[in-house]
Amino acid sequence: MTGTELRERVLSNIGKVIIGKDEVVTQLLTALLAEGHVLLEDVPGTGKTKVAKALAKSLDVDFSRIQFTPDLLPGDITGLTIYDQKQGEFVLRKGPAFTNILLADEINRATPRTQAGLLECMEERQITIDGETYPAGKPFFVIATQNPVETAGTFPLPEAQMDRFMMKLSMGLPTKEEECEILERYMKDEPLFSLQPVMNLGDLEVAKQEINEIYVHKCVMEYMVDIVSATRTGENVLMGVSPRGTLAFLRCVKAYAYLQGRKFVTPDDVKALAVPVLAHRIVMGYGRTGESREFVKRIVEYTVVPTEEYSR
């Protein structure tokens, strides 16, 4: 199966449930193949939970959802060991983090201590409970959500945790035509219930191996570094993109090029992913919190694009 075939299969399948969000689904699939995680920031009711469930069903993998609240504890995510009186010993009761696709709903409603409980799971792909370390699912893909409007009683994600997310995306509201199609599609039944997998874990592993072979010309790498470097020197910027962000950028553009059916990365791939991969990693000055996306767009617009041959 080629990257294009994989993308079209998943888009067609999820398109039975989610209308008009092909680019968002492609970016979710890109982050999954690049072994990263995604933060979805949008108002309630735009389909965040549904797209996560549809992706899990399309891949035939386990799915878990956690509703984050102020009283949620780290053990509610990872699990804990309890004493079983019948067996006369302590046994592990696994939490929802033992899965393949984890939806962390309204992650900013949990306390920093609980938010930090996800850090090891996300970065190390492992879960520690009472001193014992267990492997997380393979794949392990976190889709976290937060509401950008309702901020009362929330705990903003610290920079260290924001940097753990490979991309920050938004579902966005549908157009009039798309919303009419949604009404027709959901008139009689719920299409998510009848969704069938279109690929398996074996296909996913093969795709990851092929992504490792995607070629990135030196001039394209220099183009990426020029964009990242510009985020560190801009006016009113307190903190630019770290080298970890640069590496995430590289993994993303390789996966994105694979899904476009190419064996090499082009500057267009870099442009397409610059904002979702880099903007949320930038800390702007006081009162300029929401300007990072426009800042990255300006950087991409003014950075010189390489004109060399990009293929081998």
Side-chain angles (χ1 to χ4, degrees):
M1 186 190 315
T2 66
T4 306
E5 291 172 341
L6 186 153
R7 176 171 60 90
E8 291 303 322
R9 281 191 190 183
V10 174
L11 286 178
S12 176
N13 204 46
I14 295 181
K16 300 173 183 176
V17 178
I18 303 293
I19 310 297
K21 302 299 176 186
D22 285 0
E23 185 58 28
V24 174
V25 174
T26 299
Q27 291 171 338
L28 281 171
L29 191 56
T30 297
L32 173 64
L33 291 174
E35 298 187 324
H37 308 285
V38 169
L39 177 64
L40 275 176
E41 185 176 80
D42 223 322
V43 295
T46 52
K48 300 185 292 292
T49 301
K50 203 171 286 290
V51 74
K53 288 182 176 180
L55 181 60
K57 281 202 166 190
S58 297
L59 305 180
D60 194 21
V61 294
D62 293 332
F63 171 81
S64 293
R65 177 181 179 273
I66 306 173
Q67 181 64 53
F68 278 68
T69 56
D71 60 349
L72 193 75
L73 298 175
D76 297 326
I77 299 172
T78 59
L80 51 114
T81 53
I82 60 173
Y83 185 76
D84 190 312
Q85 292 185 339
K86 291 184 178 179
Q87 299 182 33
E89 60 182 12
F90 285 93
V91 296
L92 172 65
R93 177 175 290 176
K94 293 183 177 181
F98 285 88
T99 189
N100 296 122
I101 296 182
L102 174 65
L103 178 64
D105 213 1
E106 294 189 286
I107 189 173
N108 57 333
R109 291 204 172 277
T111 60
R113 177 189 175 194
T114 303
Q115 292 174 6
L118 267 181
L119 282 178
E120 181 188 19
C121 307
M122 293 169 61
E123 187 69 16
E124 306 296 334
R125 298 301 201 278
Q126 64 184 24
I127 300 169
T128 300
I129 303 173
D130 292 338
E132 292 290 329
T133 300
Y134 306 89
K138 191 175 181 180
F140 181 66
F141 183 45
V142 175
I143 302 175
T145 72
Q146 62 180 15
N147 185 345
V149 178
E150 190 177 347
T151 57
T154 62
F155 302 87
L157 294 176
E159 286 73 22
Q161 182 135 334
M162 289 291 286
D163 205 36
R164 295 302 198 278
F165 289 102
M166 184 167 275
M167 291 190 197
K168 181 180 177 183
L169 305 175
S170 173
M171 293 291 290
L173 294 172
T175 63
K176 178 180 177 180
E177 292 75 17
E178 290 169 350
E179 197 152 11
C180 287
E181 189 175 347
I182 290 171
L183 295 179
E184 292 178 4
R185 186 78 56 88
Y186 285 81
M187 184 78 73
K188 295 181 180 179
D189 59 5
E190 168 59 80
L192 182 65
F193 295 153
S194 58
L195 210 62
Q196 297 298 317
V198 293
M199 61 181 293
N200 54 40
L201 292 178
D203 297 327
L204 200 60
E205 289 305 312
V206 170
K208 289 180 180 179
Q209 292 172 12
E210 293 178 349
I211 287 170
N212 289 333
E213 303 301 318
I214 296 292
Y215 177 68
V216 186
H217 194 280
K218 184 178 179 180
C219 69
V220 177
M221 280 194 249
E222 290 175 348
Y223 177 54
M224 294 171 61
V225 172
D226 286 343
I227 292 174
V228 170
S229 297
T231 68
R232 302 167 182 163
T233 57
E235 187 179 358
N236 300 312
V237 174
L238 300 181
M239 185 178 75
V241 177
S242 68
R244 174 162 51 195
T246 311
L247 289 171
F249 200 13
L250 176 64
R251 295 202 306 272
C252 275
V253 295
K254 290 176 69 174
Y256 191 79
Y258 170 78
L259 292 174
Q260 307 306 313
R262 281 185 272 98
K263 295 184 179 180
F264 58 92
V265 174
T266 71
D268 286 338
D269 300 326
V270 176
K271 291 179 181 180
L273 295 180
V275 173
V277 175
L278 303 179
H280 66 284
R281 304 172 191 270
I282 300 170
V283 180
M284 304 295 287
Y286 179 76
R288 300 176 179 270
T289 308
E291 294 185 6
S292 59
R293 292 179 63 87
E294 293 302 320
F295 176 55
V296 174
K297 287 179 182 178
R298 289 196 301 271
I299 290 174
V300 172
E301 181 181 352
Y302 291 112
T303 302
V304 178
V305 180
T307 56
E308 291 89 339
E309 176 61 42
Y310 317 121
S311 58
R312 291 183 187 275

